[in-house]
Amino acid sequence: MSYAIKDIASIIHAVNTVHSTTEIAYLLLDSRKIVFPQRSLFFAISGARRDGHSFIKEVYDRGVRNFVVQKDFPLIDLPDAVFIKVTDVLKALQILASQHRAAFSIPVIGITGSNGKTIVKEWLYQLMQADLPIVRSPRSFNSQIGVPLSVWQLNPTHQLAIFEAGISEPGEMDALAAIIQPTIGVFTNLGDAHNEGFTDLRQKAVEKAKLFQHAEVLVFCKDNFQDVFFPDTLDAAFFPATISFFSWSRNQPATLKILSEIVQEKQTIISATYQSATNQIILPFTDKASIDNAITCWCVLLQMQYAPAKIAERILQLERVDMRMQLKKAINNCYVLNDSYSNDLSSLETAIDYLLQQAGKQQAVLILSDLMQSGMEEAALYQLIANMLKQRGIERFIGIGRAITQQQQQFQQLGGTVTFYPDTESFLQQVSTHEFKDAYILLKGARVFAFERISHWLEQKVHQTVLEINLTAMVHNLKEYQKQLKPQTRVMAMVKAFSYGSGSAEVARILQFHKVDYLAVAYADEGIELRKAGISLPIMVMSPDVASFDALVNYDLEPEIYSFPIYQAFHAYLLQQAIQTFPVHIKFNTGMNRLGFEIEDADPLARQLLANQTMAVKTVFSHLVSSENAAHDRFSEKQVQSFESASNTLESILQYPILKHLANSAAIFRSPEYQFDMVRLGIGLYGVSMTDSKELLLETVSVLKTTIAQIRKVPAGESVGYGRAGVVAQDSLIATVRIGYADGYDRRLGNGKGYMWVRGKKAAVVGQVCMDMTMIDITGIENVREGDEVEVFGKHVTVQALAAIANTIPYEIMTGVSERVKRVYLEE
């Protein structure tokens, strides 16, 4: 559905007059998520850390022309931009979503509670998706911003909606209730998350229950609320007289009364009475949280008149919703489990259980910060945590923070190694990585404690050999290529393969600062690292696979779609996640014969994209086979013709503009007529030209350096290194330097073929290249000492020269530099 911009202005009570009739279909809050700029409306929402108004120029430059801003926002001169001025931008977003929801009369399930909202939502979707079109909250979109964006997805094809709502203080649910307007309410439970925002559990329950004030039915577990909200009969005065209640309980009369729960291997058999009959389900889980959530779903389906037999059949097929914790390899054969999703008692208990499950017989270590939002007295809180750790047998505990340190006496009962530090900085200064070995380490810290520093420290690599990257030189090279471009041509910078060995995050930051339009990586992991480093540019992932789909969505990464199997797999995933128009990039094979749809696939592909609407095509591209070689220019012309044919077909069927890109670094200079809408700048950015042009004045970006470990005199006739491959013809001075093939120094450079630069002169490699060391002949070079710096490649020993010696290409030399080699970044 879409709304004219002037109608939106009226709905959200704009303080200025808007005449534009542009149709808006997409609401935008994040500059990284622009898919259809012409039909998007940007809400400049301001928070505690970021002001949405500061992104308006960036969003405008990416094609968006319609903005909702605060009424006191000083309008900036942006031709043809439409500004809707309101008193409160967030409130305007919520009002618009509420009006949109009111246009539909379908059943809407609204879910709230302290825990289990997302699980229940996803399981209800799994249980009913075969029967009718369902729209639901993507991921955990349950906040003041997430809920309106979820509800905006509603369109006339949907027959059921499932939305979740979460609050952390009184007054927040009023807005969410007005937006969701549920006909069926689900109250999962009450827990201690966000207790600090409420005076007691009853107030918390009352505030959450505001979601259901106009619902027709409420599904809940009596056992969770009997002491705080619902006595023998619910607080009838709080709800409309027309509401009905569908309850379940283990120990008191209820609509669904649980009779027994029997755990057998990996299943739980649950029996219950409903309408005087005994019903049974088999759940493919055994933990209490999953059992409670499944029973709640059981109740919803019974209330919606599903046959008991069909419910039992489908519940048996339920699939677990992925946890949000990440396990990573760390130093000294350790693993780090970094759980930054939440910081409350319930999630701590879950994380510890997962830690112990993963650790097996290895040591389990918990590093815990102050719990910031428990709502409990500190003494009682940390006594409870200490009991939890003792019951689970945590062998080593580290507490970080003022409050937990003051309560350290509570943890003396643990019996293992227990230490405390007032803050993260003190911990990092006083503890050595050698203290962690063969262990599984859980980091559970409130955000203000910046536990990502501990995670990075545990993964840190130390090595004397360094790769210097001159960011100023890189910017120079970027500008050299930009001189060859038309004003409107965009630039996609290739930062795959660890930015050609140069270090992804640091390179991406400088490129973002200098306004490149896109970044490209090979794998999702590379894109994740960039997002974690604060990179907000659009990122294309060139080699996505099924295992990376979750990461693509979580980190706003845009996949290359190159075949029908990968298209169908991603389409199925997006359907499961209730995601529409996710940005993708379509690749066609025009002669490389590596990845890509065939040219004749353009028509059927476009029709599937149009029919399914799970993806929106941001760009279409192909890969020139030999753009640097004049002998293959005719072949390049044929590639261009094929590419234009396929891209035109795609665009004509989809009926919206798609960016096209074909030219790589060499083609930018040699074939300016192939620029299309965007070019992909790769190895040229790093100072390596694949053409012989004298006009392209590139500067060296990467310099690989090491140091001399030892110098020795070797008499004539003696050998150096393995296999006696290097025999010196005269009395020689041999230096052993700290680099080998494990660092990426190619073994093909051994035995006198390769050389390094020492005190202004070449020093030939002697003997075979070792794993961690290489020997060079410094005979005749004056004043060389142990510890002196050696250039392995850079300004004096070029990457191109080494590639020629090793009979390879510069790409292999650059990307071959091991990640154990420390990167040092220079800016002049």
Side-chain angles (χ1 to χ4, degrees), residues 504-506 508-509 512 527-536:
S504 302
E506 293 78 8
R509 286 192 191 102
Q512 179 170 271
I528 291 170
E529 291 305 312
L530 295 182
R531 288 288 183 245
K532 289 181 176 179
I535 302 302
S536 60

Side-chain angles (χ1 to χ4, degrees), residues 224-241:
N224 286 333
F225 302 96
Q226 57 186 1
D227 296 328
V228 295
F229 188 55
F230 306 123
D232 293 335
T233 59
L234 282 86
D235 289 19
F238 183 79
F239 294 97

Side-chain angles (χ1 to χ4, degrees), residues 475-511:
V475 172
H476 167 84
N477 296 339
L478 171 64
K479 292 179 178 178
E480 279 293 294
Y481 279 98
Q482 287 177 327
K483 290 177 184 177
Q484 316 299 322
L485 302 178
K486 302 170 186 174
Q488 69 273 21
T489 303
R490 308 184 191 198
V491 174
M492 174 182 283
M494 311 301 290
V495 293
K496 62 180 182 176
F498 200 50
S499 286
Y500 293 70
S502 298
S504 302
E506 293 78 8
V507 169
R509 286 192 191 102
I510 200 72
L511 295 173

Side-chain angles (χ1 to χ4, degrees), residues 37-65:
Q38 297 87 350
R39 303 185 66 199
S40 294
L41 177 61
F42 180 77
F43 284 76
I45 293 177
S46 299
R49 299 182 62 182
R50 216 172 254 193
D51 183 354
H53 296 82
S54 64
F55 292 90
I56 287 176
K57 180 62 167 61
E58 177 183 342
V59 173
Y60 177 88
D61 289 343
R62 295 187 185 179
V64 176
R65 293 295 180 266

Side-chain angles (χ1 to χ4, degrees), residues 96-116:
L96 179 59
S98 178
Q99 183 76 12
H100 182 66
R101 161 66 181 94
F104 298 86
S105 58
I106 62 173
V108 174
I109 300 175
I111 307 172
T112 195
S114 296
N115 304 100

Side-chain angles (χ1 to χ4, degrees), residues 122-143:
E122 292 301 317
W123 279 359
L124 286 174
Y125 176 77
Q126 288 183 28
L127 292 166
M128 294 186 284
Q129 63 174 318
D131 304 317
L132 68 173
I134 302 173
V135 61
R136 71 194 193 282
S137 306
R139 325 299 285 173
S140 296
F141 276 34
N142 58 33
S143 67

Side-chain angles (χ1 to χ4, degrees), residues 144-388:
Q144 300 293 304
I145 291 175
V147 167
L149 294 180
S150 299
V151 171
W152 185 257
Q153 297 180 113
L154 271 167
N155 68 54
T157 68
H158 297 126
Q159 297 178 26
L160 174 68
I162 311 174
F163 302 124
E164 57 175 297
I167 61 172
S168 57
E169 59 185 44
E172 289 186 330
M173 189 60 82
D174 297 291
L176 303 188
I179 298 169
I180 297 175
Q181 304 168 39
T183 58
I184 301 171
V186 177
F187 208 149
T188 58
N189 57 26
L190 274 180
D192 55 22
H194 300 292
N195 274 355
E196 76 289 348
F198 305 95
T199 56
D200 54 30
L201 278 178
R202 179 177 173 81
Q203 185 195 34
K204 185 177 182 179
V206 169
E207 288 295 324
K208 286 181 177 289
K210 288 180 179 179
L211 178 63
F212 315 121
Q213 289 184 70
H214 303 290
E216 298 169 7
V217 62
L218 176 61
V219 175
F220 68 101
C221 174
K222 270 191 174 183
D223 304 338
N224 286 333
F225 302 96
Q226 57 186 1
D227 296 328
V228 295
F229 188 55
F230 306 123
D232 293 335
T233 59
L234 282 86
D235 289 19
F238 183 79
F239 294 97
T242 54
I243 196 170
S244 61
F245 301 106
F246 196 118
S247 61
W248 70 270
S249 174
R250 290 184 171 91
N251 50 41
Q252 56 185 306
T255 315
L256 183 76
K257 175 66 169 62
I258 306 302
L259 301 176
S260 64
E261 299 166 73
I262 302 171
V263 176
Q264 291 184 349
E265 296 182 352
K266 297 181 179 180
Q267 296 181 330
T268 304
I269 303 171
I270 306 174
S271 296
T273 55
Y274 172 63
Q275 294 182 342
S276 302
T278 299
N279 287 256
Q280 186 180 87
I281 61 171
I282 300 176
L283 179 67
F285 308 109
T286 59
D287 61 288
K288 184 178 183 300
S290 295
I291 292 170
D292 287 0
N293 291 331
I295 293 173
T296 298
C297 293
W298 187 6
C299 292
V300 173
L301 265 63
L302 286 171
Q303 192 279 328
M304 295 182 70
Q305 307 300 312
Y306 272 73
K310 179 172 283 190
I311 296 173
E313 175 188 348
R314 293 189 178 177
I315 283 183
L316 184 59
Q317 306 302 318
L318 281 177
E319 297 177 358
R320 188 176 295 277
V321 178
D322 291 339
M323 299 178 70
R324 296 177 174 88
M325 292 177 282
Q326 298 180 343
L327 189 65
K328 294 184 178 180
K329 192 83 170 74
I331 45 91
N332 303 331
N333 198 36
C334 291
Y335 284 85
V336 172
L337 179 63
N338 194 355
D339 179 22
S340 58
Y341 178 67
S342 53
N343 186 43
D344 58 79
L345 280 172
S346 298
S347 66
L348 174 62
E349 187 174 10
T350 301
I352 292 172
D353 288 343
Y354 186 64
L355 170 72
L356 296 173
Q357 174 189 329
Q358 293 293 325
K361 295 182 179 180
Q362 290 187 255
Q363 183 187 47
V365 180
L366 171 62
I367 303 179
L368 177 69
S369 79
D370 291 348
L371 256 69
M372 310 293 289
Q373 301 176 340
S374 70
M376 297 177 62
E377 292 291 330
E378 289 183 355
L381 169 66
Y382 292 109
Q383 179 67 61
L384 186 62
I385 292 173
N387 292 338
M388 182 193 303

